[in-house]
Amino acid sequence: MTKVVNYISEAFEELKSNVTWPSWSEVQRLTIIVAVFSVVFALATWGVDEFFAKALAGFFNWIKA
């Protein structure tokens, strides 16, 4: 159990002393970039899905006829 406690205390010490944390303005800027990219990627995925759904529906309608 002492190994676990030692590991956790060393991890916290590492986070406090050796990690370079970004500034608040940089965090806000990067959060907006990630949010915009997520929306764009979701719209692109939706567009490709709609395209393939219509293409497959057209293909199967063409086979039926």
Side-chain angles (χ1 to χ4, degrees):
M1 185 67 179
T2 56
K3 286 184 178 183
V4 173
V5 171
N6 190 28
Y7 174 78
I8 292 172
S9 69
E10 286 178 4
F12 275 112
E13 184 59 37
E14 184 82 19
L15 286 172
K16 285 194 298 187
S17 62
N18 295 336
V19 174
T20 304
W21 297 99
S23 65
W24 180 243
S25 62
E26 187 177 10
V27 169
Q28 289 176 326
R29 183 179 61 85
L30 293 175
T31 300
I32 290 171
I33 290 171
V34 169
V36 168
F37 179 77
S38 297
V39 169
V40 169
F41 188 73
L43 289 173
T45 302
W46 173 78
V48 170
D49 181 54
E50 286 293 315
F51 171 76
F52 279 112
K54 290 183 194 274
L56 284 174
F59 176 73
F60 285 121
N61 285 335
W62 177 70
I63 289 177
K64 262 195 225 178

